[in-house]
Amino acid sequence: MDRISVFNEYVRRKGLKNTNQRMVILETFLGSKSHYSTEDLYMKLRKEYPKIGYATVHRTLKLFAECGIAIELNFGDGQTRFEPLIADQHHDHLVCTSCGLIVEFTETRIERLQEQIASQYNFKIERHRHELYGLCSDCAKKQG
Amino acid sequence: MDRISVFNEYVRRKGLKNTNQRMVILETFLGSKSHYSTEDLYMKLRKEYPKIGYATVHRTLKLFAECGIAIELNFGDGQTRFEPLIADQHHDHLVCTSCGLIVEFTETRIERLQEQIASQYNFKIERHRHELYGLCSDCAKKQG
DNA sequence: TTAGCTTCTGAATGTCATTTTCAATATCCT
DNA sequence: AGGATATTGAAAATGACATTCAGAAGCTAA
Ligand SMILES: [Mn+2]
Ligand SMILES: [Mn+2]
Ligand SMILES: [Zn+2]
Ligand SMILES: [Zn+2]
């Protein structure tokens, strides 16, 4: 089931309503680069829909996370970012501390080792964050 | 060199001053549980030193991080936590989303795999975060 | 030891992302 | 369509953290 259907079903199940704003925000959110902060997405939407409110954008992003079609990311720069989630396509991140570049990686061996650690400590893992911070190759060249 | 010496040397080198507050905060910080938020440590210190200021506690924790005897942690609950760092004793965390329990783990195989990933993408890693969120065994029993 | 310069402290205030409030508006169900 | 209920957007509130500033304390050199 695609993310739009997941969202629509969540809205129906919870007795929420389908609004123009929500559809527009969802399409824009799914339709381009990931890792949006509320501010980023609000600015982008404003160009085409100048009447849209910041609070609506933010509430809607939280709603996406709540219904499972997005995840919240926090790279420690004081802004929460949201990224569309494709079911069963987990990945982690490399973050350039100089230019902000975000690169995604997956490594099943790490995922497996995590599970071993969790069972060692009798933890029941719900989610995890694994982020590598440093300089991307461009910034490293510029010794930035 | 122990953490108190590292701090004292840093203070000297930077032309900062040695104050009672800083010593008291350092001793308390090193002397009990880890993973203090500013608020946590402020509340603890207040009992014995009621005149100490919140801003001083916070500035001093930042100073500890700056001089390398502490690291800042962020478990996504909106509060930065500080933990005394023992040189070359890196670890990552399991965090119980129900009771807040924090368990530490190290896994050299993961650390190595990280390095491989970084070099694959030509990243020069400065630091990383790896946190596993879920239910500790107690909370899992209480299905909580 | 003390003068004099610099840093520190603590209370208050500022900042900034995020959240909440609320009155007007839109949606949904019958 | 009518009416209950959710949503919206502007504004205000919140909360963690950072900054300001005047008085206090630490440091250094004579
Ligand atoms: Mn991503
Ligand atoms: Mn720890
Ligand atoms: Zn870069
Ligand atoms: Zn627990």
Side-chain angles (χ1 to χ4, degrees):
Chain A
M1 198 163 56
D2 70 9
R3 289 165 297 190
I4 294 183
S5 311
V6 170
F7 179 71
N8 286 332
E9 187 160 313
Y10 184 84
V11 162
R12 189 175 324 113
R13 187 157 37 83
K14 286 273 187 170
L16 308 180
K17 287 170 181 173
N18 250 311
T19 65
N20 257 314
Q21 287 92 330
R22 281 174 179 170
M23 285 305 115
V24 156
I25 294 167
L26 181 52
E27 280 160 23
T28 306
F29 179 60
L30 296 178
S32 58
K33 75 146 193 184
S34 270
H35 314 119
Y36 272 116
S37 68
T38 300
E39 181 72 17
D40 288 344
L41 187 53
Y42 172 62
M43 284 313 193
K44 183 170 175 81
L45 284 160
R46 236 157 107 80
K47 290 175 192 156
E48 207 170 342
Y49 310 93
K51 301 230 302 269
I52 204 154
Y54 181 97
T56 300
V57 175
H58 190 257
R59 280 185 290 226
T60 304
L61 284 169
K62 298 290 278 186
L63 185 59
F64 294 165
E66 198 180 304
C67 75
I69 64 170
I71 47 169
E72 297 188 28
L73 302 173
N74 196 300
F75 295 146
D77 64 349
Q79 288 208 300
T80 301
R81 285 163 208 287
F82 294 83
E83 124 166 278
L85 185 67
I86 300 168
D88 299 323
Q89 295 212 0
H90 167 75
H91 61 259
D92 290 290
H93 297 94
L94 288 149
V95 181
C96 179
T97 52
S98 175
C99 71
L101 176 72
I102 297 168
V103 173
E104 306 181 338
F105 73 89
T106 51
E107 175 50 71
T108 46
R109 284 171 292 178
I110 291 178
E111 304 288 327
R112 266 202 302 276
L113 286 163
Q114 278 177 179
E115 281 160 31
Q116 289 175 24
I117 290 159
S119 70
Q120 234 173 81
Y121 290 98
N122 284 305
F123 256 72
K124 190 190 180 90
I125 295 303
E126 292 164 343
R127 63 182 195 279
H128 70 271
R129 314 173 30 158
H130 194 181
E131 291 141 19
L132 312 182
Y133 296 89
L135 296 179
C136 72
S137 61
D138 283 358
C139 290
K141 267 180 224 141
K142 297 175 207 150
Q143 43 230 337
Chain B
M1 196 164 54
D2 69 9
R3 288 166 295 192
I4 294 182
S5 310
V6 171
F7 179 72
N8 286 331
E9 187 160 313
Y10 184 84
V11 162
R12 191 175 321 112
R13 186 156 38 82
K14 287 273 187 171
L16 309 179
K17 288 173 179 172
N18 251 310
T19 67
N20 255 312
Q21 287 92 331
R22 282 174 178 168
M23 285 305 115
V24 156
I25 293 168
L26 181 53
E27 280 159 23
T28 306
F29 179 61
L30 297 178
S32 56
K33 77 148 192 185
S34 270
H35 314 118
Y36 273 116
S37 68
T38 300
E39 181 72 17
D40 288 343
L41 187 53
Y42 172 63
M43 285 314 195
K44 184 170 175 81
L45 283 160
R46 237 158 106 78
K47 289 175 192 156
E48 205 169 344
Y49 311 93
K51 300 231 300 272
I52 204 154
Y54 181 97
T56 300
V57 175
H58 189 256
R59 281 184 289 227
T60 304
L61 284 170
K62 299 290 277 186
L63 185 60
F64 294 164
E66 198 181 303
C67 76
I69 63 171
I71 47 169
E72 296 188 30
L73 302 173
N74 196 299
F75 295 146
D77 64 348
Q79 290 209 299
T80 301
R81 284 163 209 287
F82 294 82
E83 121 166 280
L85 184 69
I86 299 167
D88 300 323
Q89 296 213 356
H90 167 77
H91 61 259
D92 291 291
H93 297 94
L94 289 149
V95 181
C96 179
T97 51
S98 174
C99 72
L101 176 71
I102 297 168
V103 174
E104 306 180 341
F105 74 89
T106 51
E107 176 50 72
T108 46
R109 284 171 291 177
I110 291 178
E111 304 286 328
R112 266 202 302 276
L113 286 163
Q114 278 176 180
E115 282 160 31
Q116 288 176 25
I117 290 158
S119 70
Q120 234 172 82
Y121 290 96
N122 284 305
F123 257 71
K124 191 191 180 88
I125 296 303
E126 292 164 344
R127 63 181 196 280
H128 69 271
R129 314 172 30 153
H130 194 181
E131 291 141 21
L132 312 181
Y133 296 89
L135 296 178
C136 71
S137 61
D138 283 358
C139 290
K141 266 181 225 141
K142 297 175 206 150
Q143 44 229 336

